[in-house]
Amino acid sequence: MPSAKTGDGGSIAYAKLGEGPIPVLFLHGWLVSGTFWQLVAEALPPDRCTSFLPDLRGTGFSFQPETGYTLDRFAEDMIGLLSEEKTFTGKWIVVGHGFGALVAQRLATIYARRIGGLVLFSPFPMAGLKPAGEWGELLGEVACGQSQAGTVFPRLFAKPPSQEELDILLEDAESASPLSRKAVWDISMAGGDGTKLAKVRAPTLVVASGKDALVSPDTARMEVAGKISGTRFEIWDDLGHFAPLEAPGRVSERIHTFISGLAAAG
């Protein structure tokens, strides 16, 4: 598995699929790793796209430092990956889910010259998540290790997931360091500097899920799509927060259509 060096002496591991000229960077969300995107990436045409599935710091096969869990550092790690892949001189398509979509937004503001498009599924907003009541308390307990991730994963699907789907997610969650679990949740709640989002010029697609218990369509519309000029916004009524797991073929097809639209626009 290839890896890219980070600015603080670590390394980010990533899978690489396909041999196409268009580089597509997939950023996973909280409590999972790069394998979250496996089925979606495999469905993209390998002769057209090269997909990169990194494990964000603190997860999977990437390093698990005791410090450095900030939104800027997560984005800078991805700059290191893009710089490592010197074969690709054109702009990258960045696809993010949940927290990964938050990292994608930050990446687009600090490395705009290399980002040619953003596709954001159930994106965490720069204004920060605000889960309320019992749901918010439970998520906080999971972040602190006081409750197991298995208590929240089923609630993030539109329909009850299979045991196989749950097992994959739980294995991912167990691979994440306790520090990263807590830090990523804290970042997700606090958000980041959203003042520069208005300057993002990369074509952007935001997809919300109608049965998402974590990021409502209203939040995705107002706090993400509404902050980036010219963003296309869609709601997929029948899916939950884990749309890329629930409907990987549909997600992959939409990403491919988005990329084709960019090429047609020239």
Side-chain angles (χ1 to χ4, degrees):
M1 177 176 285
S3 63
K5 294 185 181 301
T6 69
D8 55 351
S11 63
I12 298 298
Y14 58 95
K16 188 173 178 179
L17 306 175
E19 299 179 345
I22 302 172
V24 185
L25 177 66
F26 287 90
L27 302 181
H28 66 81
W30 184 47
L31 297 177
V32 296
S33 72
T35 58
F36 177 85
W37 286 110
Q38 186 82 23
L39 294 178
V40 172
E42 287 178 345
L44 288 177
D47 59 338
R48 190 174 189 200
C49 300
T50 299
S51 299
F52 296 83
L53 283 62
D55 295 334
L56 299 183
R57 63 170 54 213
T59 68
F61 292 101
S62 290
F63 82 134
Q64 298 189 353
E66 295 185 0
T67 60
Y69 294 102
T70 67
L71 182 57
D72 279 1
R73 179 57 73 182
F74 278 106
E76 288 161 5
D77 288 346
M78 295 305 103
I79 293 175
L81 190 159
L82 270 59
S83 300
E84 184 78 20
E85 292 289 338
K86 298 181 177 61
T87 302
F88 298 94
T89 57
K91 294 188 175 183
W92 288 62
I93 307 301
V94 182
V95 182
H97 171 263
F99 175 73
L102 180 60
V103 176
Q105 292 169 65
R106 185 60 181 141
L107 179 61
T109 66
I110 63 179
Y111 207 44
R113 65 184 180 85
R114 293 298 308 277
I115 309 303
L118 295 173
V119 185
L120 310 176
F121 290 89
S122 297
F124 288 7
M126 279 289 181
L129 279 177
K130 303 294 187 286
E134 178 187 356
W135 181 226
E137 291 177 6
L138 177 58
L139 291 167
E141 290 173 359
V142 171
C144 295
Q146 297 169 353
S147 292
Q148 297 299 312
T151 61
V152 301
F153 282 150
R155 296 174 64 171
L156 297 176
F157 286 82
K159 298 178 181 179
S162 68
Q163 190 59 50
E164 180 182 3
E165 289 172 321
L166 276 179
D167 287 344
I168 291 172
L169 288 170
L170 289 171
E171 183 178 351
D172 257 1
E174 290 172 1
S175 75
S177 73
L179 278 172
S180 73
R181 286 174 60 153
K182 179 65 165 58
V184 166
W185 183 244
D186 288 346
I187 294 169
S188 302
M189 293 284 283
D193 182 4
T195 59
K196 295 183 180 179
L197 284 177
K199 297 181 179 179
V200 173
R201 290 295 177 263
T204 300
L205 168 67
V206 170
V207 179
S209 293
K211 299 183 183 301
D212 192 335
L214 188 54
V215 182
S216 71
D218 283 346
T219 294
R221 178 191 292 111
M222 294 185 294
E223 299 297 339
V224 182
K227 304 295 184 181
I228 302 174
S229 178
T231 293
R232 182 181 179 88
F233 178 72
E234 298 175 4
I235 301 176
W236 294 3
D237 289 325
D238 59 325
L239 298 178
H241 184 69
F242 284 141
L245 294 181
E246 296 179 83
R250 193 197 313 181
V251 169
S252 181
E253 182 179 358
R254 188 64 188 91
I255 294 169
H256 187 218
T257 301
F258 175 82
I259 292 172
S260 297
L262 296 181

